[in-house]
Amino acid sequence: MTRERHGSMHNVAPVINLARRSTTLRLAFVSAVVSLAAAFAANAAPVPLYNIYRAEDGFTNAGISLAVVAYSVGTIAALLVLGRVSNHLGRRRTAIASLGLLLLGCLLLLNVHAIGILLSGRVLMGLGAGLASSSLTAYIVDTAPTRPAWLASVASSQGPMLGLTVGAIGSGALVQFGPWPRDLIYLVCAGLLLLSAALVAISPETVTRTPGAWRSLLPRVRVPARVRHLLPVAAAVFLSTWATGAFYQAFVPALVEDQLHTHNPLVPGLVFAAYMAPSVLGAPLGGRFTPAAAQRIGMIAFLAGMIGIITAIVTGTLALFITSTIVAGAGQGIAISAATRGLLHGSTLADRAPTFTAIYLISYSGAAFPSLISGQLSNTFSLPQITLGYGGLALVATLFTAIAARNPHTDTTGNSQHGE
């Protein structure tokens, strides 16, 4: 009897351990997704405030675009220097550090009355976002359930879009209806970041600490050789879509007020969210197709949306502007998640942080450099003319994607599957 009971318990124990491990990994996955969304919600918080800064503090469109550049430069710096450090120090430690940098940025932005304060706060938040982009996205992929197969790429690529959507709408609502319109949203974001840090702190680690953390600070971008052939098209997708996202941050508040004739602070937040939210909804649709087919479909929809946006600005039609924004957002969600899925194909634990570093380095370069150029051009050209430039970028990227999109190799011999 004792032997039977012992044998029975011996068989049950592995099942219990597996169930416990599954539960703790599920907690880590949820914590990482929540933290990534909170990080980018904080980053969207200033968008509905830009018109207030313009009206009350004399900020210009060029100055606001510099804030987008400052954020992107901080992010790029963090990605280059800190993008691989979570492989050595662990996902949790680096994730908590990223949330701490974002918290400091929120606290600094509580007192924005000079462009220097805005730029400094955005640099801090960019550093935090860069560290979060590599550590939290790798943490998501480490802990994601194996089914459905697209969940890891969708959660990691669309977590930022979800956060930006919630942050933009929440900020616009608090600016319009809440007390302390210049401050309350930053206090709310600070609370969300503290909660996220607590969730990560109680979640399990997925990476064993290893030597080499100092060496990992040397800038190096690496994409596994087996998916390197996918990088040119992925870069076109990331550059064009993230450039448009930066355009929405820098110029849409002014466009909504000056060209579409509305002064409600909630509207810029809703318009920005209308670009980001459909991205989250569009991403799972891309999982129904091969990565190459999904990138083509997504970029064609993205271009169609951009054409509608330009038409709406020329005609001053707010309804068309919002509708076209939704179409462009859904298209970018399909394309971005498909490009990410392709680059993650067959990835190992050690590959993930460097791969996400490369993805976000390209993405934030797409946000920074067009914003820097268009910010300078805003002193000479009108906002509708600048919008045409972004439409041209979308056209070039879509044509390149339609011609050159490929699927990941299906084996280790270098043979690729091109059929869709």
Side-chain angles (χ1 to χ4, degrees):
M1 173 81 86
T2 303
R3 184 179 303 160
E4 287 178 6
R5 185 181 295 126
H6 176 76
S8 173
M9 292 301 294
H10 179 75
N11 292 333
V12 169
V15 177
I16 294 173
N17 290 335
L18 284 173
R20 186 173 299 149
R21 174 172 170 75
S22 175
T23 301
T24 56
L25 284 179
R26 196 176 300 118
L27 169 65
F29 176 73
V30 172
S31 299
V33 171
V34 168
S35 298
L36 188 64
F40 282 87
N43 283 312
V47 173
L49 287 164
Y50 285 153
N51 282 338
I52 291 178
Y53 296 155
R54 286 201 309 159
E56 297 182 3
D57 300 306
F59 292 3
T60 64
N61 288 334
I64 296 298
S65 70
L66 274 181
V68 176
V69 172
Y71 165 73
S72 300
V73 167
T75 306
I76 290 169
L79 287 167
L80 282 173
V81 177
L82 303 173
R84 295 178 292 130
V85 76
S86 72
N87 282 349
H88 301 279
L89 299 182
R91 308 295 194 217
R92 292 166 63 234
R93 186 181 299 241
T94 49
I96 290 171
S98 72
L99 296 169
L101 286 168
L102 288 158
L103 176 61
L104 290 175
C106 284
L107 296 179
L108 186 58
L109 292 177
L110 285 170
N111 188 33
V112 174
H113 292 286
I115 192 68
I117 298 294
L118 178 61
L119 296 180
S120 300
R122 294 304 279 164
V123 167
L124 266 177
M125 297 184 85
L127 290 170
L131 187 54
S133 295
S134 59
S135 60
L136 283 170
T137 48
Y139 199 24
I140 287 171
V141 176
D142 291 350
T143 57
T146 55
R147 292 288 182 271
W150 47 260
L151 181 60
S153 63
V154 169
S156 56
S157 66
Q158 300 307 311
M161 305 304 178
L162 175 62
L164 290 168
T165 300
V166 173
I169 294 176
S171 178
L174 291 177
V175 170
Q176 176 69 15
F177 303 113
W180 321 312
R182 296 173 66 114
D183 302 323
L184 182 58
I185 182 58
Y186 296 123
L187 294 173
V188 171
C189 288
L192 287 174
L193 293 168
L194 288 172
L195 174 63
S196 299
L199 287 172
V200 172
I202 63 173
S203 298
E205 180 58 77
T206 57
V207 171
T208 303
R209 291 189 65 180
T210 58
W214 287 109
R215 286 196 306 275
S216 75
L217 301 182
L218 293 172
R220 188 180 68 171
V221 179
R222 178 175 63 83
V223 174
R226 66 182 170 277
V227 294
R228 219 166 276 163
H229 68 290
L230 305 177
L231 196 57
V233 170
V237 170
F238 297 141
L239 284 168
S240 59
T241 55
W242 280 66
T244 303
F247 164 77
Y248 268 76
Q249 290 190 56
F251 295 109
V252 163
L255 273 171
V256 166
E257 188 169 276
D258 301 339
Q259 304 294 135
L260 303 176
H261 314 298
T262 178
H263 303 282
N264 187 329
L266 180 57
V267 174
L270 289 172
V271 170
F272 184 61
Y275 181 65
M276 296 301 172
S279 179
V280 180
L281 300 175
L285 296 177
R288 300 172 180 268
F289 304 94
T290 65
Q295 285 175 90
R296 292 187 181 110
I297 292 168
M299 289 304 292
I300 290 170
F302 174 69
L303 178 60
M306 288 299 296
I307 292 170
I309 288 165
I310 292 167
T311 304
I313 291 171
V314 171
T315 59
T317 309
L318 182 60
L320 177 60
F321 186 82
I322 293 175
T323 301
S324 301
T325 294
I326 292 170
V327 172
Q332 78 151 2
I334 295 170
I336 288 174
S337 63
T340 303
R341 178 158 51 103
L343 293 175
L344 288 175
H345 179 77
S347 66
T348 65
L349 196 68
D351 288 336
R352 289 166 191 165
T355 299
F356 276 113
T357 296
I359 289 171
Y360 282 107
L361 187 61
I362 295 168
S363 300
Y364 281 108
S365 295
F369 295 114
S371 291
L372 181 61
I373 295 167
S374 58
Q376 298 304 310
L377 292 177
S378 68
N379 296 319
T380 306
F381 295 95
S382 68
L383 291 182
Q385 289 172 324
I386 289 172
T387 309
L388 279 174
Y390 283 92
L393 179 62
L395 175 61
V396 171
T398 302
L399 289 174
F400 180 63
T401 302
I403 294 168
R406 297 292 182 269
N407 286 315
H409 295 322
T410 55
D411 55 43
T412 57
T413 63
N415 298 324
S416 62
Q417 178 183 351
H418 299 303
E420 275 102 81

